[in-house]
Amino acid sequence: MDKVKSTISFIAVFVFSVSHFFGIANAQHRSPSIEFNPQNYVSVKITDSLKIDGRLEEHSWKKVNWTDSFLDIEGETAEQPRYDTKVKMLWDDQYFYIAANIEEPNLWATLDERDAIIFHENNFEVFIDPDGDTHNYYEFEVNALGTYWDLMLTKPYRDGGKAIDAWDIRDIKVGIDLKGTLNHPSDRDSGWTVELAIPWKALEEAAPEGRKPKSGEFWRVNFSRVEWKIAPQNGEYVKQSDTEDNWTWSPQGLINMHYPEMWGYVLFAEGKDNSQLQIDDALGLKIKEQIKWYLRQLYYQQQEYWDKNGSYTSDFSELNQRELQNDMSSQVDFEQWSEPEIHATDHTFEISIERLKTKNKWYIRENGRVWQEEN
């Protein structure tokens, strides 16, 4: 009986923690408060081996650039991070390599059980959506002890998504290098470095064609850092607030990491370093990603319409579609696209738009999934 109570208690705490952090109890579909301008990075393919120890001493790590420093999750207008965070990325035929340099004057981590709720303490987080449709994506969190929590999301919580906590990144390698002393408030630390080797095999379930990326392809990726304000008390660190800071590589425009449409672009390149490729040219982002963003705006408006009326609409005038096209005319040449089509019932909708030159169509549905149908 005690074991049953303990299990029920754990589940209750888990559900409350996740719902509190991600807003499940009050699902949000609102549009982010910043312009659509995700960060991007070119990940270089390597042939040498890496020792996953957090030290980043190999030539492959040294020759590639760090990302820009993390910003507040809401964007540049919010209070900016107190401490610096930057990331590098590499890849080969077996692994996606990620390294994070985390400035931290107070190294603190006590959670030491796999799949503990790591964001209850300071952590580093990875989010990966291989095919960019905002469904079936991965989350990984790690603390300065090297304890980690890995899970898969069927879709964002706002759309009724479920977290598959039992999913594991099998054979992941985690290296932590501490620049200071852990859990010792009496001194001042410099920070910590995380180094990850994530097997492509573990990511194939949500990957296009169930495989690792090819050179010239991109995945949607983001990184987050949860930072709590802490102070020494009786020789330990103690939280000073019930709320945490959230710092990200590619800002979300709201306090919710589960808006995959706002994550960054990682281009996987072979034979070139990240100073030799222009990611916009390689990806053609201004064509397909902007039209996806246009559909996403209509999705936000449909969800707002649902909140007010309890149903979806098949009338574009109710969604301010013309005003939206005028606002986005500098990013999208709408003369190259057909008029959008909308099919709606009280509980579902589907919006599509066709590129006239190729006859390829892009779609979005009420569950938030966006995809392309090629002619």
Side-chain angles (χ1 to χ4, degrees):
M1 186 65 178
D2 289 342
K3 183 180 288 187
V4 173
K5 288 182 178 179
S6 177
T7 301
I8 293 173
S9 176
F10 171 79
I11 293 172
V13 170
F14 176 82
V15 171
F16 170 78
S17 298
V18 175
S19 64
H20 172 75
F21 190 70
F22 299 119
I24 300 173
N26 183 20
Q28 296 180 359
H29 293 89
R30 66 184 178 90
S31 177
S33 62
I34 59 176
E35 291 184 5
F36 179 69
N37 187 30
Q39 291 276 16
N40 57 65
Y41 188 89
V42 179
S43 179
V44 178
K45 190 173 185 181
I46 61 173
T47 56
D48 57 328
S49 60
L50 301 177
K51 183 179 180 181
I52 308 302
D53 56 8
R55 298 182 182 276
L56 312 184
E57 295 175 337
E58 294 85 358
H59 178 66
S60 290
W61 280 127
K62 293 180 179 179
K63 74 178 183 180
V64 295
N65 297 333
W66 292 102
T67 63
D68 291 341
S69 296
F70 284 22
L71 298 173
D72 185 87
I73 190 171
E74 294 186 271
E76 294 182 347
T77 59
E79 182 179 352
Q80 292 309 300
R82 301 183 299 281
Y83 312 124
D84 191 52
T85 315
K86 295 178 180 178
V87 173
K88 291 184 177 186
M89 288 165 269
L90 297 167
W91 69 294
D92 62 20
D93 287 332
Q94 287 186 288
Y95 296 101
F96 182 22
Y97 300 101
I98 296 167
N101 188 54
I102 302 168
E103 181 186 17
E104 176 56 70
N106 302 297
L107 289 173
W108 170 57
T110 65
L111 297 171
D112 57 6
E113 292 186 11
R114 170 88 179 259
D115 288 338
I117 303 173
I118 304 298
F119 64 73
H120 282 175
E121 298 180 345
N122 295 346
N123 77 350
F124 173 72
E125 304 178 353
V126 180
F127 297 83
I128 302 174
D129 181 9
D131 61 6
D133 69 351
T134 76
H135 282 209
N136 298 320
Y137 58 87
Y138 306 107
E139 178 178 352
F140 176 87
E141 303 185 11
V142 64
N143 66 11
L145 277 171
T147 307
Y148 59 88
W149 178 24
D150 48 1
L151 58 158
M152 182 178 182
L153 283 298
T154 57
K155 51 188 173 182
Y157 294 114
R158 68 187 178 202
D159 298 309
K162 306 297 183 183
I164 305 174
D165 190 45
W167 177 84
D168 291 331
I169 303 180
R170 295 182 179 179
D171 300 320
I172 188 173
K173 298 179 182 180
V174 179
I176 304 291
D177 183 41
L178 302 178
K179 300 174 179 65
T181 52
L182 191 64
N183 301 325
H184 283 273
S186 59
D187 64 4
R188 186 174 179 86
D189 309 307
S190 297
W192 53 302
T193 302
V194 180
E195 186 176 13
L196 306 174
I198 303 176
W200 295 120
K201 187 73 174 175
L203 305 178
E204 64 183 8
E205 183 175 352
E209 301 176 6
R211 57 168 173 79
K212 64 179 178 290
K214 297 178 181 178
S215 180
E217 294 181 338
F218 74 92
W219 286 11
R220 301 301 299 272
V221 177
N222 210 353
F223 306 101
S224 174
R225 173 181 175 181
V226 171
E227 183 75 9
W228 296 85
K229 292 181 180 178
I230 57 176
Q233 182 176 315
N234 299 324
E236 298 178 339
Y237 287 119
V238 178
K239 292 179 184 178
Q240 300 299 292
S241 172
D242 292 333
T243 59
E244 74 287 346
D245 291 310
N246 297 276
W247 304 332
T248 66
W249 172 48
S250 195
Q252 299 288 99
L254 71 174
I255 305 175
N256 189 336
M257 281 304 298
H258 293 270
Y259 269 55
E261 62 267 30
M262 299 299 289
W263 296 353
Y265 299 97
V266 175
L267 174 69
F268 296 96
E270 186 172 359
K272 297 182 180 182
D273 65 29
N274 55 354
S275 65
Q276 294 175 294
L277 276 174
Q278 296 297 317
I279 195 163
D280 281 353
D281 294 339
L283 304 182
L285 294 182
K286 293 182 179 178
I287 297 177
K288 62 181 181 181
E289 293 304 311
Q290 289 292 350
I291 206 65
K292 287 166 63 177
W293 182 242
Y294 165 69
L295 291 175
R296 181 66 59 181
Q297 297 297 303
L298 294 174
Y299 157 87
Y300 294 141
Q301 292 183 21
Q302 275 279 34
Q303 299 297 350
E304 183 178 348
Y305 187 91
W306 166 273
D307 290 341
K308 293 179 180 178
N309 301 284
S311 64
Y312 295 114
T313 180
S314 57
D315 184 353
F316 272 122
S317 67
E318 300 280 359
L319 304 181
N320 300 316
Q321 178 250 343
R322 289 299 180 192
E323 292 87 340
L324 178 59
Q325 284 196 358
N326 290 336
D327 291 342
M328 294 190 65
S329 61
S330 61
Q331 290 84 37
V332 178
D333 183 1
F334 284 102
E335 291 185 359
Q336 296 185 26
W337 296 86
S338 68
E339 285 294 310
E341 296 181 357
I342 183 170
H343 302 280
T345 69
D346 285 349
H347 303 287
T348 66
F349 72 82
E350 181 178 278
I351 301 175
S352 64
I353 190 168
E354 181 180 84
R355 193 175 184 199
L356 299 175
K357 181 178 180 181
T358 62
K359 302 301 180 182
N360 293 341
K361 274 190 173 183
W362 283 98
Y363 297 83
I364 196 165
R365 299 199 66 186
E366 79 287 340
N367 62 11
R369 180 171 177 259
V370 60
W371 76 98
Q372 182 183 27
E373 183 180 90
E374 296 185 0
N375 183 40

